Amino acid sequence: MPDPTPMEIPTMQVACDVNGESFTRDIPVDMPLLEFLRDVLGLTGTKGACLEGECGSCTVLVDGETINSCLMLAAQVNNRSVTTIEGLAAGTELDVIQDSFVATGAAQCGYCTPGLIMSARALLNDQPDISESELLTALEGNICRCTGYASIIEAVKRAHRESQNA
Amino acid sequence: MIQQVTTTESDQTLDAPIAPADHLVGKSCRRVDGQEKVTGAALYGADLFPNSAELFASVVRSEHAHANIVSIDATQALEVAGILGVYTHADVGGTNIHGLIRRDHPALASKRVRYFGDSIAVVVAKTERAAKLGRDKVAVTYEPLPVIATMEQAIAEGACKLYPEGNVMGDKRIRKGDVERALADSHVVVSDTFFTQTVDHAFLDIEAGTGHWDGQVLTLYVAGQWVHEERRLIALALGLPVEQIRIIQPVTGGAFGGREDISIQIYLGLAALKHQGKTIALRYTRSESMRARHKRHALKIESTFGANADGMLTAAKIVVYSDEGAYASTGIAVMRKAASHATGPYCVPNVEVDVYGVHTNNNPTGAMRGFGACQMAIAYEGMMDRVARALDMDRETFRRKNLIQSGDTVTTGQRIDPVSVGLCLTKAIQKFKDQPYPGSDHLPAHIKRGWGMSAICFGLGYGDGFPDCSRARVELSDSGIATVYTGGVEVGQGLLNAMMQIAGEELGLPFESMRIVAADTELTDESGSSSATRQTYFTGNAVRMAASELREQVLDIAGIKLKVHPHEITLQHGWAYETSNSNNRVRMEKICTEGLTRGYSLKATALFKPRTIVEIPNTGQSPRAFITYLFGAHVSQVLVNIETGEVKVERHIAAHDVGKAVNPQSVEGQIVGGVAQGLGMALMEEVTYRDGRIMNPGLTDYIIPTIKDLPPVEAIIVEHDDPGGPFGAHGVGEPPLIGAVPAILSAIYDATGKAPCELPMSPERTWRLINEVCENDPLSKVF
Amino acid sequence: MFHQPMTFEHALDLRSELGTDATVINGGTDVVVAMNHGAIKPTTFIDVSRIKALRGIEKQNGHLIMGAGVTFADLGKMHFRALREASLSVGGPAIRNMGTIGGNIATASPAGDGCVALLAMNAEVQLSSKARGDRWMPLVDYFIDYRKTALADDELIKAVRVHNNPRSRWYKIGKRGAVNISLVCCAISQNENNKTELAFGCVGPIPKVAPKASALLTGETLTPELIDDVANLVTHEVAPIDDQRGTATYRRAMCSTLTKRLLTQLMEDAPKGDADA
């Protein structure tokens, strides 16, 4: 989160759609989207871990594309739509990627998990066929410190298979 | 009413066959915390803020690596809008000191700072912005002292002393046989010096939590690794009785030893005590986290090994210098572990080891996955490759000649039985040779392929006579649900499932009937730390013992219901039935209801406390330095670009004897994850200092492996029942990292013909090794 | 204040009015990192990310013109090999969806991968101001010193252009398999007249070309001997420093190594008449 400044931070009104719900909020102009989602909207599923765009923990979809919410200002999503990890499951029914992450043990400490699932969601949204290298490239911006990635790769492959069969 | 419904239901299902025995131990049950982690519902430390944070704290840290504090002036800070208070050492009610083994680390420095992360004051404000602005306005006047940036500077004559007793924190030795004579008589004697680097845990979930004081109880939601010990340390520092402190572990995003030292707990506690009734929130940024936290010890390891013409090791002489940084942390335990693992799983008749811990003005160094043992494995496995080459002997053959067998002793004189390191090596190499890597054999001239191996051992638990025990409680409810209570913390490793599965197995319950409460000092009993690969073995045993006692109650009650002797009863999938007549059966709910009516407690607690024997100070010998030993072996295959020094791990095989895999999926996750951290340590991770200041306090320049750095890691789970472990299990947390690093280095040696001795083998260091470029060495010099 | 102009003209108005009081932001991958570190504390922004005209890629008079708002993800689909590979080496997919070529040029980091690829391709950058209109300048002249550029306080970067059809090669040495900051990177391109340019990243205060080496190559057919000469020469044209990522010794040696490797690739691939794809 930005260091404080001696100046008053101007505020602005932001209207956006998050997980299908419309929000209008007055926020400081320098507030990163990550902070907006977590501290203003209370959607703490999206995680911050480096605040430099190096780890991918804060990955969300903006108009369907993955972005790092630690590096986008909340002001920039005015009139745009954001999807976070909280927007994937339908009630208690898990998204197939979420279910696969549990099934393969891809969530150990779980901190990288929301970001990884969002990156995987964007990949599966875009492509009917996925090569091994496309899969790895899609997830290369998401650091996991626990798993060594094997169970994550397995989870995304499983989710892809299941959605093809569905 | 409800009672009746339950009865009717169970009567209706009386004719249905009992589900087949559902052995929870050995089954990859879905993680109990999986659902909340994949939906984003899991609440980690900072996730508590939106609903609870009322005030925010921030920490003033030293701007010098070494200085006397002349004055602390909060005047300007207190003028910032929203600032409610600035607190220094003078505001701390207790000893103001923490430290896991040696209490030497001021929570808030009063007279002197010894590293850049040293904390000086805590600022409390209405908003996080204000707290940070106030922090920046606290004026600290320093009188700089000479900075001890390297171990060499620390032990130089006339060096500025960090402590009155000098800069050598302690030493540790092993003496066995007559090393000088054995070396003189050896056919070959090989020496080399290894430099291992400073490593950061880089768990993703940055330190964050809340504190609240209601006038009676200080409640802290902060992730640690041993909540009960943390409570003691906080109590001492703040001057509160432990009864008035409650720690609840939020969901925790990794630890790897990095949460063993106290982090934000005392700051939060102090702020909460000053602001009764308000919930205080505090979180670090990544750079503050890296700047404040302890690190893995950088070691300089001078190794000399001798062997006779038959390829039998004769002697080892090893001198280790360990950068302890500014404060002791767990350094003493790390030195012990380094000494006792100095020759690994090899029979060496004559051994001399001297380990010196040296204070510098770098970050304190302490626990990290495989501490001490990990660095020594790099040296002893490096030496196995070098000695084999000196003897012109195949690397595997040479290792096999010298590996300990069941009944042999390790360096400390402890006799080990069973020993499975040879079996692990066989399995790893067999897999490597039987299933060749599908990669191309036609490599361009500048790409060299090589493979290497490692064989390692690991003493589980604290060892060395240090008190080490776990408690557990298991309870059955009216509805036949069993709840396990443990003080052990889940940090991602899978402790919750392991404990539920062990208890469920003992009670013949399906996983769905299991619940767990963990790491809440109010609700659970002490189970020691989640470290030293000890939880499965220690708390697993305590859980099994408690569940076993509960099982006896269940059998007694079932015996009354079924009118048979308890010995003739089988517990399976939530039923108790007469072993020879499964139609004579009763459900667990009914047993529990009956038992509670009859005055059975349906609760059991247990303590597991095996004893280790302290090592003799002058020789390091002990018949039981560690409670049990774990073994593993790795094979790694790499490609080295000899023009640029880039290294790519193509394939990695890791075989580990885990005793019994309680949850094979979790065990595999630990093995592959350990290899990933080992790969990071071998090739890229390194905290770099300049005059005590960390130059790369962020994930842009503290490089950790991505999904593209990991080859497909092949995990081989070797199950060789540990007679002392629950259902034969012992543990797996640390050994995979320990085995991975030397195997990768061994492969680089094979590919390049040059033996690596500095870590990490970054492109530049590999290029220097190949081209023998020494001048202008890039190593961040802590040596 | 947060200004979000929808047209480039409006953005120029704002820039002219606010000058350095406002921070220009697009993808945020440099600006917000600096904010998160507390290195800058802007309170006024001109967000150019909504300007559609900046997102265009078009062919014109033998040139390919890319708007300043073209992202690395977009560039990763292009047929210029060096630019494509350089772009795909930037961050992970989310960063590439955000980061833009204009931002890379504006930041002017010596490690700017996109800048290095463009320099080798003799790119020109178009700078615009309300008062003086548009001007094209060679990218090589745009970089002045460490993070110091020819961009005036009332100007915005509008576009960058390269000749349509160079053959090019790229290599970046980083410490891991993805999401790398360069230790050293090198781009080489050759146009139809056999004019060959070399550029390097992380070998001095700015992304660097090697004019003497390029001169030695001009009009010549690549031979192993010539490549060796050029590879030796480049070590005198770069001025790397020691920093915590690597040393000058290594970087200098790598300039030579990469020059040799990439020129050899061009030489060996020449008979295949390769389209750059």
Side-chain angles (χ1 to χ4, degrees), chain C residues 11-35:
Chain C
L12 285 180
D13 287 347
L14 288 163
R15 176 75 167 160
S16 149
E17 182 188 327
L18 299 166
T20 52
D21 290 343
T23 298
V24 180
I25 184 170
N26 195 331
T29 57
D30 288 324
V31 170
V32 187
V33 171
M35 288 168 61

mmCIF file of all heavy atoms in Angstrom, chain C residues 11-35:
data_model
loop_
_atom_site.group_PDB
_atom_site.id
_atom_site.type_symbol
_atom_site.label_atom_id
_atom_site.label_comp_id
_atom_site.label_asym_id
_atom_site.label_seq_id
_atom_site.Cartn_x
_atom_site.Cartn_y
_atom_site.Cartn_z
ATOM 1 N N ALA C 11 -5.726 14.557 -23.679
ATOM 2 C CA ALA C 11 -4.568 14.213 -22.849
ATOM 3 C C ALA C 11 -3.468 15.260 -23.015
ATOM 4 O O ALA C 11 -2.822 15.670 -22.042
ATOM 5 C CB ALA C 11 -4.051 12.829 -23.215
ATOM 6 N N LEU C 12 -3.269 15.705 -24.261
ATOM 7 C CA LEU C 12 -2.243 16.730 -24.504
ATOM 8 C C LEU C 12 -2.602 18.050 -23.829
ATOM 9 O O LEU C 12 -1.737 18.733 -23.288
ATOM 10 C CB LEU C 12 -2.057 16.948 -26.015
ATOM 11 C CG LEU C 12 -1.287 15.861 -26.764
ATOM 12 C CD1 LEU C 12 -1.200 16.225 -28.253
ATOM 13 C CD2 LEU C 12 0.105 15.660 -26.194
ATOM 14 N N ASP C 13 -3.888 18.368 -23.859
ATOM 15 C CA ASP C 13 -4.343 19.575 -23.152
ATOM 16 C C ASP C 13 -3.966 19.494 -21.675
ATOM 17 O O ASP C 13 -3.424 20.440 -21.093
ATOM 18 C CB ASP C 13 -5.882 19.711 -23.238
ATOM 19 C CG ASP C 13 -6.337 20.125 -24.630
ATOM 20 O OD1 ASP C 13 -5.471 20.548 -25.433
ATOM 21 O OD2 ASP C 13 -7.547 20.006 -24.907
ATOM 22 N N LEU C 14 -4.288 18.355 -21.089
ATOM 23 C CA LEU C 14 -4.021 18.176 -19.663
ATOM 24 C C LEU C 14 -2.524 18.229 -19.377
ATOM 25 O O LEU C 14 -2.070 18.845 -18.411
ATOM 26 C CB LEU C 14 -4.586 16.828 -19.199
ATOM 27 C CG LEU C 14 -6.108 16.749 -19.118
ATOM 28 C CD1 LEU C 14 -6.568 15.287 -19.071
ATOM 29 C CD2 LEU C 14 -6.620 17.520 -17.903
ATOM 30 N N ARG C 15 -1.783 17.585 -20.250
ATOM 31 C CA ARG C 15 -0.335 17.535 -20.062
ATOM 32 C C ARG C 15 0.253 18.944 -20.160
ATOM 33 O O ARG C 15 1.136 19.323 -19.399
ATOM 34 C CB ARG C 15 0.256 16.608 -21.131
ATOM 35 C CG ARG C 15 1.753 16.522 -21.148
ATOM 36 C CD ARG C 15 2.324 15.686 -20.014
ATOM 37 N NE ARG C 15 3.729 15.396 -20.276
ATOM 38 C CZ ARG C 15 4.614 15.041 -19.360
ATOM 39 N NH1 ARG C 15 4.232 14.885 -18.104
ATOM 40 N NH2 ARG C 15 5.853 14.818 -19.687
ATOM 41 N N SER C 16 -0.262 19.695 -21.118
ATOM 42 C CA SER C 16 0.223 21.050 -21.321
ATOM 43 C C SER C 16 -0.106 21.914 -20.099
ATOM 44 O O SER C 16 0.685 22.732 -19.646
ATOM 45 C CB SER C 16 -0.410 21.581 -22.605
ATOM 46 O OG SER C 16 -0.598 22.946 -22.541
ATOM 47 N N GLU C 17 -1.279 21.685 -19.561
ATOM 48 C CA GLU C 17 -1.744 22.469 -18.424
ATOM 49 C C GLU C 17 -1.017 22.073 -17.132
ATOM 50 O O GLU C 17 -0.616 22.903 -16.335
ATOM 51 C CB GLU C 17 -3.252 22.226 -18.280
ATOM 52 C CG GLU C 17 -3.957 22.983 -17.195
ATOM 53 C CD GLU C 17 -5.397 22.451 -17.080
ATOM 54 O OE1 GLU C 17 -5.984 22.052 -18.124
ATOM 55 O OE2 GLU C 17 -5.910 22.407 -15.962
ATOM 56 N N LEU C 18 -0.845 20.756 -16.932
ATOM 57 C CA LEU C 18 -0.374 20.271 -15.629
ATOM 58 C C LEU C 18 1.129 19.991 -15.578
ATOM 59 O O LEU C 18 1.726 19.994 -14.507
ATOM 60 C CB LEU C 18 -1.133 18.995 -15.243
ATOM 61 C CG LEU C 18 -2.652 19.172 -15.105
ATOM 62 C CD1 LEU C 18 -3.351 17.819 -15.065
ATOM 63 C CD2 LEU C 18 -2.973 19.985 -13.860
ATOM 64 N N GLY C 19 1.713 19.726 -16.764
ATOM 65 C CA GLY C 19 3.155 19.448 -16.813
ATOM 66 C C GLY C 19 3.559 18.367 -15.837
ATOM 67 O O GLY C 19 2.890 17.339 -15.718
ATOM 68 N N THR C 20 4.634 18.629 -15.098
ATOM 69 C CA THR C 20 5.159 17.585 -14.209
ATOM 70 C C THR C 20 4.358 17.475 -12.908
ATOM 71 O O THR C 20 4.659 16.617 -12.081
ATOM 72 C CB THR C 20 6.633 17.887 -13.857
ATOM 73 O OG1 THR C 20 6.706 19.228 -13.381
ATOM 74 C CG2 THR C 20 7.519 17.715 -15.066
ATOM 75 N N ASP C 21 3.344 18.330 -12.736
ATOM 76 C CA ASP C 21 2.509 18.172 -11.545
ATOM 77 C C ASP C 21 1.646 16.918 -11.624
ATOM 78 O O ASP C 21 1.164 16.419 -10.615
ATOM 79 C CB ASP C 21 1.582 19.387 -11.359
ATOM 80 C CG ASP C 21 2.373 20.629 -10.965
ATOM 81 O OD1 ASP C 21 3.540 20.439 -10.527
ATOM 82 O OD2 ASP C 21 1.841 21.733 -11.089
ATOM 83 N N ALA C 22 1.440 16.460 -12.845
ATOM 84 C CA ALA C 22 0.606 15.264 -13.018
ATOM 85 C C ALA C 22 1.464 14.081 -13.424
ATOM 86 O O ALA C 22 2.439 14.228 -14.150
ATOM 87 C CB ALA C 22 -0.459 15.523 -14.084
ATOM 88 N N THR C 23 1.108 12.938 -12.924
ATOM 89 C CA THR C 23 1.797 11.712 -13.302
ATOM 90 C C THR C 23 0.992 11.016 -14.391
ATOM 91 O O THR C 23 -0.213 10.780 -14.225
ATOM 92 C CB THR C 23 1.923 10.784 -12.078
ATOM 93 O OG1 THR C 23 2.708 11.456 -11.104
ATOM 94 C CG2 THR C 23 2.567 9.464 -12.445
ATOM 95 N N VAL C 24 1.676 10.740 -15.503
ATOM 96 C CA VAL C 24 0.998 10.036 -16.590
ATOM 97 C C VAL C 24 1.043 8.543 -16.278
ATOM 98 O O VAL C 24 2.094 7.996 -15.945
ATOM 99 C CB VAL C 24 1.688 10.318 -17.942
ATOM 100 C CG1 VAL C 24 0.965 9.583 -19.072
ATOM 101 C CG2 VAL C 24 1.728 11.821 -18.202
ATOM 102 N N ILE C 25 -0.112 7.931 -16.363
ATOM 103 C CA ILE C 25 -0.176 6.501 -16.057
ATOM 104 C C ILE C 25 -0.925 5.783 -17.159
ATOM 105 O O ILE C 25 -1.872 6.311 -17.731
ATOM 106 C CB ILE C 25 -0.846 6.268 -14.675
ATOM 107 C CG1 ILE C 25 -0.827 4.781 -14.307
ATOM 108 C CG2 ILE C 25 -2.264 6.826 -14.631
ATOM 109 C CD1 ILE C 25 -1.251 4.511 -12.873
ATOM 110 N N ASN C 26 -0.431 4.585 -17.488
ATOM 111 C CA ASN C 26 -1.197 3.737 -18.395
ATOM 112 C C ASN C 26 -1.406 2.398 -17.711
ATOM 113 O O ASN C 26 -2.303 2.237 -16.904
ATOM 114 C CB ASN C 26 -0.502 3.618 -19.752
ATOM 115 C CG ASN C 26 -1.447 3.046 -20.807
ATOM 116 O OD1 ASN C 26 -2.347 2.286 -20.496
ATOM 117 N ND2 ASN C 26 -1.241 3.425 -22.054
ATOM 118 N N GLY C 27 -0.488 1.449 -17.924
ATOM 119 C CA GLY C 27 -0.657 0.150 -17.280
ATOM 120 C C GLY C 27 -0.330 0.181 -15.790
ATOM 121 O O GLY C 27 -0.787 -0.675 -15.031
ATOM 122 N N GLY C 28 0.479 1.149 -15.391
ATOM 123 C CA GLY C 28 0.788 1.274 -13.961
ATOM 124 C C GLY C 28 1.912 0.378 -13.480
ATOM 125 O O GLY C 28 2.280 0.419 -12.315
ATOM 126 N N THR C 29 2.479 -0.411 -14.385
ATOM 127 C CA THR C 29 3.437 -1.421 -13.914
ATOM 128 C C THR C 29 4.774 -0.823 -13.465
ATOM 129 O O THR C 29 5.545 -1.502 -12.801
ATOM 130 C CB THR C 29 3.690 -2.489 -14.998
ATOM 131 O OG1 THR C 29 4.149 -1.833 -16.182
ATOM 132 C CG2 THR C 29 2.428 -3.258 -15.306
ATOM 133 N N ASP C 30 5.040 0.412 -13.846
ATOM 134 C CA ASP C 30 6.193 1.122 -13.267
ATOM 135 C C ASP C 30 5.740 2.153 -12.246
ATOM 136 O O ASP C 30 6.282 2.231 -11.154
ATOM 137 C CB ASP C 30 7.018 1.813 -14.359
ATOM 138 C CG ASP C 30 7.812 0.809 -15.198
ATOM 139 O OD1 ASP C 30 8.286 -0.192 -14.632
ATOM 140 O OD2 ASP C 30 7.935 1.017 -16.415
ATOM 141 N N VAL C 31 4.704 2.921 -12.616
ATOM 142 C CA VAL C 31 4.262 4.027 -11.755
ATOM 143 C C VAL C 31 3.787 3.516 -10.401
ATOM 144 O O VAL C 31 4.189 4.022 -9.352
ATOM 145 C CB VAL C 31 3.124 4.829 -12.446
ATOM 146 C CG1 VAL C 31 2.487 5.816 -11.471
ATOM 147 C CG2 VAL C 31 3.662 5.565 -13.670
ATOM 148 N N VAL C 32 2.948 2.502 -10.403
ATOM 149 C CA VAL C 32 2.360 2.071 -9.128
ATOM 150 C C VAL C 32 3.377 1.304 -8.283
ATOM 151 O O VAL C 32 3.324 1.356 -7.059
ATOM 152 C CB VAL C 32 1.040 1.299 -9.340
ATOM 153 C CG1 VAL C 32 0.367 1.009 -8.002
ATOM 154 C CG2 VAL C 32 0.090 2.105 -10.217
ATOM 155 N N VAL C 33 4.330 0.635 -8.934
ATOM 156 C CA VAL C 33 5.414 0.021 -8.155
ATOM 157 C C VAL C 33 6.143 1.114 -7.366
ATOM 158 O O VAL C 33 6.381 0.980 -6.165
ATOM 159 C CB VAL C 33 6.409 -0.739 -9.059
ATOM 160 C CG1 VAL C 33 7.631 -1.174 -8.259
ATOM 161 C CG2 VAL C 33 5.747 -1.951 -9.691
ATOM 162 N N ALA C 34 6.455 2.203 -8.056
ATOM 163 C CA ALA C 34 7.164 3.305 -7.387
ATOM 164 C C ALA C 34 6.306 3.901 -6.276
ATOM 165 O O ALA C 34 6.805 4.261 -5.211
ATOM 166 C CB ALA C 34 7.554 4.371 -8.403
ATOM 167 N N MET C 35 5.004 3.987 -6.513
ATOM 168 C CA MET C 35 4.098 4.474 -5.460
ATOM 169 C C MET C 35 4.085 3.515 -4.278
ATOM 170 O O MET C 35 4.145 3.924 -3.122
ATOM 171 C CB MET C 35 2.675 4.629 -6.019
ATOM 172 C CG MET C 35 2.507 5.789 -6.977
ATOM 173 S SD MET C 35 0.918 5.714 -7.853
ATOM 174 C CE MET C 35 -0.248 5.809 -6.486
#
